[in-house]
Amino acid sequence: GAGRSRNTINSFGAIDGTVLYTMAELVAANKADGGWPTILSIDCEGCEWAALEQMAADPRALKILGGVKLLFLDAHLSPTMLPPTPRQFVVALELLFHRLGFRLRWLRSVDGFPADQKVADFLGVAGLPAGFCCYEMVLVR
């Protein structure tokens, strides 16, 4: 439930970790027609890495994600926006592409604000260039 993530302040504003919820909690609170989402958007200014890590370990979230056919994902990579740890990066990619079988349909880099145009150190060492804050992606199954 609430309060499972840290707070952050960046160029886009602040994220209050006391009002973050798990995928299962969000679906339970918004399940009007008895169904699960087939389209999902994840854009939480850096919290997506912790969210994907949590979902990878939660059988309820995995079941919900199993029904998603179209996923819009903003992947924030700047150190000013809660970038992934190396472990979170691997867990997220393994979850999305291997376990859930998503394919990349569309990709766009986003410049963001000048202060956010950096990438996490381990990604820069791996060859990812600086000059943007995040990627917008569309994943399909």
Side-chain angles (χ1 to χ4, degrees):
R4 283 185 246 195
S5 186
R6 58 189 172 177
N7 290 345
T8 182
I9 298 174
N10 59 52
S11 298
F12 292 101
I15 296 172
D16 180 356
T18 64
V19 292
L20 299 178
Y21 299 94
T22 67
M23 173 65 82
E25 290 168 333
L26 289 171
V27 168
N30 293 286
K31 207 164 147 180
D33 65 359
W36 288 348
T38 56
I39 300 173
L40 179 65
S41 177
I42 301 175
D43 181 4
C44 48
E45 308 311 319
C47 291
E48 65 274 6
W49 301 107
L52 289 166
E53 183 178 40
Q54 186 278 327
M55 287 187 271
D58 181 350
R60 294 174 300 166
L62 290 172
K63 191 170 184 178
I64 294 164
L65 289 171
V68 173
K69 303 297 180 206
L70 181 64
L71 174 62
F72 298 91
L73 174 65
D74 274 22
H76 297 83
L77 305 170
S78 174
T80 61
M81 306 179 84
L82 286 179
T85 64
R87 181 188 191 296
Q88 288 174 326
F89 189 77
V90 170
V91 166
L93 295 182
E94 192 273 336
L95 170 67
L96 295 172
F97 296 108
H98 178 69
R99 291 172 67 187
L100 295 174
F102 281 104
R103 295 178 321 276
L104 182 64
R105 176 71 173 104
W106 183 80
L107 176 70
R108 180 177 82 105
S109 62
V110 178
D111 294 342
F113 292 103
D116 298 323
Q117 294 177 352
K118 305 170 189 142
V119 296
D121 289 344
F122 78 94
L123 294 171
V125 169
L128 192 64
F132 61 92
C133 71
C134 47
Y135 282 111
E136 293 176 339
M137 300 179 215
V138 176
L139 306 177
V140 297
R141 258 197 300 208

